[in-house]
Amino acid sequence: MKRDFIDLWDLTPEEAWEIVKLTKEVKEGKKDLGKPLIGKNVALLFNKPSTRTRVSFEVGINQLGGNSLFFQEKELQISRGEDVKDTARTLSRYVDCIIVRNHSHTWLRELGKYASVPVINALTNLSHPCQILSDVFTLYETFGEEMKNLKIAYLGDGNNVCNTLLVGAGMFGLKLFVATPEGYEPNSYYFKKAEEFARESGADVVLTHDPKEAVKNADIVYTDVWISMGEEGKSLEVFKPYQVNETLLKEAKPSVRVMHCLPAKKGQEITEEVFEKNADFIFTQAENRLHTQKTLLAFLFKALPA
Ligand code: CP
Ligand code: NVA
């Protein structure tokens, strides 16, 4: 049975932990993923820009011995209205895996339903599971199991990254406070999922509109752009109290570290000063997309090393 990775909950918490722990061993050179993708072709279909996701997947596929084929959606018949299920059934006859970045999450679920090969979500309007699996790995490689005792604050827009971070916190037993302006809360379905996982894992997931409440004594502050791809034209005014700047960070622990999934809009959700102070951690976060996605691919191809 093929496995998709469209939302974090397409993995069980045990499987997600296995991927995170194995990624650490592989990154440290203690285990080798080998070349499980030799002779395999992986299609990437993107209708939004991407630097990290596209490049890390293409490099990772290559390092695992596979071949990647990148398509802008506008080059394919989907752009002329070909059925998602026909696209899924056709591509499944040619390639061994389909990685998609598009707006509609529903469309992607439909693609997963009709494709007979694994489908991976490279970001939709609702969810960015590769990002968050990798971010949990970044926390795990830095703090180990202690990551469960850290206070993590997410500030800004309740977007795809925020939705998925909530679910990730629930699955991995983390303590997450999310502060967004009124009207920009995360998706209620994702929050409900996070609460369900939290009941099992002991996680704390809290929603607030007060940025200071979220940042108070925080060990980690996470932010993302206020205007996601496809939301251009949105007003920024309401987000200003949620900017990650030196003044707000005075509420956090002196050892606070800042995370950003990138790309960053400096001067909006984060100041240049805070960004540069945390640049090493932020670019390690970016690097880890490569390591985590390689383990994910090996998992989906049922080729994890013993
Ligand atoms: N964080 C992330 O997904 O970056 P890209 O949009 O560059 O892929
Ligand atoms: N929320 C952002 C994330 C980019 C990686 C967006 O959807 O544009």
Side-chain angles (χ1 to χ4, degrees):
M1 191 40 187
K2 67 110 178 190
R3 297 284 300 272
D4 292 335
F5 186 59
I6 294 177
D7 279 298
L8 275 181
W9 57 78
D10 292 331
L11 300 174
T12 64
E14 293 71 31
E15 289 168 338
W17 269 111
E18 188 186 3
I19 290 172
V20 163
K21 288 184 172 169
L22 181 58
T23 302
K24 185 163 186 283
E25 291 187 284
V26 173
K27 189 174 172 187
E28 288 171 353
K30 293 181 183 150
K31 282 217 170 136
D32 187 5
L33 290 175
K35 303 266 181 204
L37 266 56
I38 282 183
K40 309 273 186 208
N41 288 292
V42 178
L44 292 94
L45 270 58
F46 280 44
N47 76 355
K48 292 179 176 183
S50 170
T51 299
R52 281 141 289 270
T53 309
R54 176 186 176 177
V55 179
S56 58
F57 262 120
E58 292 211 56
V59 169
I61 290 160
N62 184 277
Q63 290 177 352
L64 295 176
N67 178 48
S68 65
L69 301 105
F70 181 80
F71 302 101
Q72 292 279 3
E73 202 184 277
K74 63 175 184 289
E75 297 162 353
L76 302 176
Q77 296 289 9
I78 314 165
S79 63
R80 296 182 56 248
E82 184 170 10
D83 274 358
V84 53
K85 57 185 180 182
D86 294 354
T87 304
R89 289 180 290 185
T90 304
L91 290 176
S92 298
R93 302 283 179 118
Y94 303 139
V95 301
D96 302 283
C97 178
I98 309 171
I99 301 177
V100 181
R101 169 168 288 199
N102 78 337
H103 193 69
S104 166
H105 197 73
T106 316
W107 186 94
L108 185 54
R109 274 278 168 216
E110 189 81 349
L111 186 87
K113 187 170 154 197
Y114 288 98
S116 58
V117 297
V119 171
I120 299 177
N121 178 358
L123 180 145
T124 64
N125 59 327
L126 285 180
S127 171
H128 199 4
C130 295
Q131 179 71 52
I132 299 305
L133 190 63
S134 173
D135 293 341
V136 172
F137 166 63
T138 300
L139 291 171
Y140 181 69
E141 79 164 340
T142 312
F143 302 102
E145 299 273 349
E146 183 58 25
M147 72 176 180
K148 293 183 190 167
N149 299 323
L150 304 178
K151 181 178 177 185
I152 304 169
Y154 173 93
L155 293 188
D157 188 23
N159 59 17
N160 42 13
V161 168
C162 177
N163 290 337
T164 321
L165 185 60
L166 276 163
V167 178
M171 277 178 94
F172 286 92
L174 310 180
K175 301 190 187 327
L176 174 66
F177 282 64
V178 165
T180 65
E182 276 181 51
Y184 294 90
E185 295 83 1
N187 178 281
S188 56
Y189 186 73
Y190 282 77
F191 182 58
K192 206 171 80 203
K193 280 281 191 188
E195 287 187 310
E196 278 170 23
F197 280 118
R199 278 195 281 278
E200 293 297 312
S201 69
D204 273 336
V205 286
V206 179
L207 301 187
T208 175
H209 295 123
D210 180 357
K212 281 195 180 165
E213 183 196 349
V215 174
K216 189 104 206 133
N217 291 323
D219 300 280
I220 303 285
V221 174
Y222 193 127
T223 191
D224 182 19
V225 289
W226 291 340
I227 300 188
S228 286
M229 290 177 277
E231 295 186 342
E232 290 74 14
K234 192 163 134 190
S235 164
L236 296 183
E237 209 52 39
V238 73
F239 291 103
K240 289 194 173 151
Y242 301 83
Q243 184 187 61
V244 179
N245 55 38
E246 288 293 353
T247 311
L248 188 57
L249 287 182
K250 286 202 177 81
E251 304 289 327
K253 294 225 176 102
S255 57
V256 67
R257 300 220 200 180
V258 175
M259 297 179 81
H260 197 308
C261 58
L262 301 175
K265 208 70 177 153
K266 294 163 205 169
Q268 292 186 10
E269 77 276 3
I270 191 165
T271 58
E272 175 102 40
E273 191 186 10
V274 169
F275 185 94
E276 288 308 327
K277 233 169 144 175
N278 290 276
D280 191 50
F281 197 47
I282 290 171
F283 290 108
T284 297
Q285 196 188 342
E287 175 190 331
N288 285 341
R289 297 290 305 278
L290 172 65
H291 303 297
T292 316
Q293 288 161 192
K294 282 169 68 182
T295 314
L296 173 73
L297 284 165
F299 172 85
L300 294 176
F301 279 87
K302 301 178 181 18
L304 288 188

mmCIF file of all heavy atoms in Angstrom, residues 48 53 101 123-124 128 131 159-161 224-225 227-229 261-263, ligand 2:
data_model
loop_
_atom_site.group_PDB
_atom_site.id
_atom_site.type_symbol
_atom_site.label_atom_id
_atom_site.label_comp_id
_atom_site.label_asym_id
_atom_site.label_seq_id
_atom_site.Cartn_x
_atom_site.Cartn_y
_atom_site.Cartn_z
ATOM 1 N N LYS A 48 3.696 27.552 -7.412
ATOM 2 C CA LYS A 48 4.113 28.720 -6.628
ATOM 3 C C LYS A 48 5.639 28.690 -6.576
ATOM 4 O O LYS A 48 6.235 27.605 -6.676
ATOM 5 C CB LYS A 48 3.588 28.610 -5.195
ATOM 6 C CG LYS A 48 2.084 28.725 -5.032
ATOM 7 C CD LYS A 48 1.705 28.580 -3.559
ATOM 8 C CE LYS A 48 0.216 28.791 -3.382
ATOM 9 N NZ LYS A 48 -0.182 28.724 -1.972
ATOM 10 N N THR A 53 12.317 24.322 -0.738
ATOM 11 C CA THR A 53 11.630 23.039 -0.917
ATOM 12 C C THR A 53 12.046 22.387 -2.224
ATOM 13 O O THR A 53 12.396 21.206 -2.267
ATOM 14 C CB THR A 53 10.103 23.266 -0.859
ATOM 15 O OG1 THR A 53 9.815 24.015 0.322
ATOM 16 C CG2 THR A 53 9.348 21.957 -0.836
ATOM 17 N N ARG A 101 3.468 21.448 -4.973
ATOM 18 C CA ARG A 101 3.220 22.725 -4.283
ATOM 19 C C ARG A 101 2.112 23.427 -5.050
ATOM 20 O O ARG A 101 2.302 23.805 -6.207
ATOM 21 C CB ARG A 101 4.479 23.591 -4.242
ATOM 22 C CG ARG A 101 4.189 25.011 -3.783
ATOM 23 C CD ARG A 101 5.442 25.808 -3.453
ATOM 24 N NE ARG A 101 6.050 25.349 -2.226
ATOM 25 C CZ ARG A 101 6.921 26.064 -1.504
ATOM 26 N NH1 ARG A 101 7.269 27.275 -1.882
ATOM 27 N NH2 ARG A 101 7.435 25.574 -0.393
ATOM 28 N N LEU A 123 3.726 22.165 0.158
ATOM 29 C CA LEU A 123 3.035 23.375 0.644
ATOM 30 C C LEU A 123 1.716 23.573 -0.103
ATOM 31 O O LEU A 123 1.675 23.533 -1.332
ATOM 32 C CB LEU A 123 3.888 24.650 0.487
ATOM 33 C CG LEU A 123 3.301 25.997 0.957
ATOM 34 C CD1 LEU A 123 4.384 26.897 1.533
ATOM 35 C CD2 LEU A 123 2.578 26.727 -0.162
ATOM 36 N N THR A 124 0.673 23.733 0.711
ATOM 37 C CA THR A 124 -0.625 24.175 0.173
ATOM 38 C C THR A 124 -1.083 25.371 0.998
ATOM 39 O O THR A 124 -0.387 25.787 1.933
ATOM 40 C CB THR A 124 -1.704 23.075 0.297
ATOM 41 O OG1 THR A 124 -1.931 22.817 1.698
ATOM 42 C CG2 THR A 124 -1.322 21.789 -0.416
ATOM 43 N N HIS A 128 1.989 22.655 5.539
ATOM 44 C CA HIS A 128 3.378 22.563 5.051
ATOM 45 C C HIS A 128 4.112 21.506 5.890
ATOM 46 O O HIS A 128 5.011 21.816 6.675
ATOM 47 C CB HIS A 128 4.035 23.940 5.176
ATOM 48 C CG HIS A 128 5.265 24.118 4.339
ATOM 49 N ND1 HIS A 128 5.735 23.162 3.457
ATOM 50 C CD2 HIS A 128 6.151 25.157 4.255
ATOM 51 C CE1 HIS A 128 6.847 23.598 2.873
ATOM 52 N NE2 HIS A 128 7.113 24.802 3.345
ATOM 53 N N GLN A 131 8.044 21.112 6.065
ATOM 54 C CA GLN A 131 8.673 22.169 6.858
ATOM 55 C C GLN A 131 8.657 21.810 8.345
ATOM 56 O O GLN A 131 9.676 21.884 9.029
ATOM 57 C CB GLN A 131 7.904 23.494 6.640
ATOM 58 C CG GLN A 131 8.461 24.660 7.429
ATOM 59 C CD GLN A 131 9.793 25.130 6.899
ATOM 60 O OE1 GLN A 131 9.919 25.398 5.727
ATOM 61 N NE2 GLN A 131 10.790 25.212 7.754
ATOM 62 N N ASN A 159 -1.339 30.797 9.471
ATOM 63 C CA ASN A 159 -1.316 30.294 8.081
ATOM 64 C C ASN A 159 -0.961 28.799 8.028
ATOM 65 O O ASN A 159 -1.004 28.093 9.034
ATOM 66 C CB ASN A 159 -0.320 31.143 7.280
ATOM 67 C CG ASN A 159 1.082 31.079 7.872
ATOM 68 O OD1 ASN A 159 1.403 30.201 8.662
ATOM 69 N ND2 ASN A 159 1.932 32.007 7.487
ATOM 70 N N ASN A 160 -0.580 28.351 6.824
ATOM 71 C CA ASN A 160 -0.212 26.949 6.597
ATOM 72 C C ASN A 160 0.886 26.460 7.552
ATOM 73 O O ASN A 160 0.806 25.355 8.097
ATOM 74 C CB ASN A 160 0.210 26.754 5.125
ATOM 75 C CG ASN A 160 1.099 27.872 4.577
ATOM 76 O OD1 ASN A 160 1.630 28.694 5.331
ATOM 77 N ND2 ASN A 160 1.256 27.917 3.257
ATOM 78 N N VAL A 161 1.912 27.296 7.760
ATOM 79 C CA VAL A 161 3.022 26.909 8.635
ATOM 80 C C VAL A 161 2.522 26.816 10.079
ATOM 81 O O VAL A 161 2.824 25.865 10.810
ATOM 82 C CB VAL A 161 4.190 27.920 8.480
ATOM 83 C CG1 VAL A 161 5.237 27.746 9.568
ATOM 84 C CG2 VAL A 161 4.831 27.746 7.097
ATOM 85 N N ASP A 224 6.661 33.588 10.674
ATOM 86 C CA ASP A 224 6.572 33.376 9.216
ATOM 87 C C ASP A 224 6.022 34.675 8.627
ATOM 88 O O ASP A 224 5.530 35.547 9.361
ATOM 89 C CB ASP A 224 5.636 32.184 8.922
ATOM 90 C CG ASP A 224 5.522 31.862 7.425
ATOM 91 O OD1 ASP A 224 6.399 32.284 6.641
ATOM 92 O OD2 ASP A 224 4.540 31.196 7.039
ATOM 93 N N VAL A 225 6.067 34.776 7.320
ATOM 94 C CA VAL A 225 5.586 35.988 6.649
ATOM 95 C C VAL A 225 4.129 36.291 7.008
ATOM 96 O O VAL A 225 3.351 35.396 7.314
ATOM 97 C CB VAL A 225 5.693 35.881 5.104
ATOM 98 C CG1 VAL A 225 7.140 35.941 4.663
ATOM 99 C CG2 VAL A 225 5.006 34.626 4.581
ATOM 100 N N ILE A 227 2.217 37.852 4.817
ATOM 101 C CA ILE A 227 1.466 37.669 3.567
ATOM 102 C C ILE A 227 2.007 36.442 2.858
ATOM 103 O O ILE A 227 3.103 36.453 2.294
ATOM 104 C CB ILE A 227 1.599 38.923 2.667
ATOM 105 C CG1 ILE A 227 1.055 40.136 3.417
ATOM 106 C CG2 ILE A 227 0.890 38.703 1.331
ATOM 107 C CD1 ILE A 227 0.936 41.392 2.606
ATOM 108 N N SER A 228 1.239 35.378 2.910
ATOM 109 C CA SER A 228 1.653 34.142 2.242
ATOM 110 C C SER A 228 1.435 34.254 0.744
ATOM 111 O O SER A 228 0.663 35.106 0.277
ATOM 112 C CB SER A 228 0.852 32.964 2.789
ATOM 113 O OG SER A 228 1.299 32.633 4.080
ATOM 114 N N MET A 229 2.084 33.343 0.007
ATOM 115 C CA MET A 229 1.920 33.345 -1.455
ATOM 116 C C MET A 229 0.443 33.187 -1.807
ATOM 117 O O MET A 229 -0.234 32.320 -1.239
ATOM 118 C CB MET A 229 2.729 32.194 -2.067
ATOM 119 C CG MET A 229 4.218 32.420 -1.967
ATOM 120 S SD MET A 229 5.159 31.019 -2.625
ATOM 121 C CE MET A 229 5.182 29.907 -1.220
ATOM 122 N N CYS A 261 10.792 29.895 8.903
ATOM 123 C CA CYS A 261 10.817 28.887 7.828
ATOM 124 C C CYS A 261 11.428 29.444 6.546
ATOM 125 O O CYS A 261 11.854 28.684 5.694
ATOM 126 C CB CYS A 261 9.405 28.383 7.572
ATOM 127 S SG CYS A 261 8.258 29.687 7.122
ATOM 128 N N LEU A 262 11.440 30.786 6.425
ATOM 129 C CA LEU A 262 11.951 31.480 5.237
ATOM 130 C C LEU A 262 11.035 31.230 4.020
ATOM 131 O O LEU A 262 10.428 30.164 3.964
ATOM 132 C CB LEU A 262 13.383 31.078 4.903
ATOM 133 C CG LEU A 262 14.416 31.354 6.012
ATOM 134 C CD1 LEU A 262 15.773 30.783 5.603
ATOM 135 C CD2 LEU A 262 14.535 32.848 6.297
ATOM 136 N N PRO A 263 10.917 32.139 3.085
ATOM 137 C CA PRO A 263 11.645 33.406 3.005
ATOM 138 C C PRO A 263 11.122 34.418 4.032
ATOM 139 O O PRO A 263 9.941 34.388 4.374
ATOM 140 C CB PRO A 263 11.342 33.884 1.582
ATOM 141 C CG PRO A 263 10.012 33.290 1.253
ATOM 142 C CD PRO A 263 9.972 31.969 1.949
HETATM 143 N N1 NVA B 2 3.309 30.894 4.702
HETATM 144 C C1 NVA B 2 4.260 31.004 3.629
HETATM 145 C C2 NVA B 2 5.285 29.936 3.742
HETATM 146 C C3 NVA B 2 6.356 29.956 2.701
HETATM 147 C C4 NVA B 2 7.321 28.819 2.834
HETATM 148 C C5 NVA B 2 3.539 30.960 2.293
HETATM 149 O O1 NVA B 2 2.614 30.143 2.125
HETATM 150 O O2 NVA B 2 3.881 31.740 1.393
#
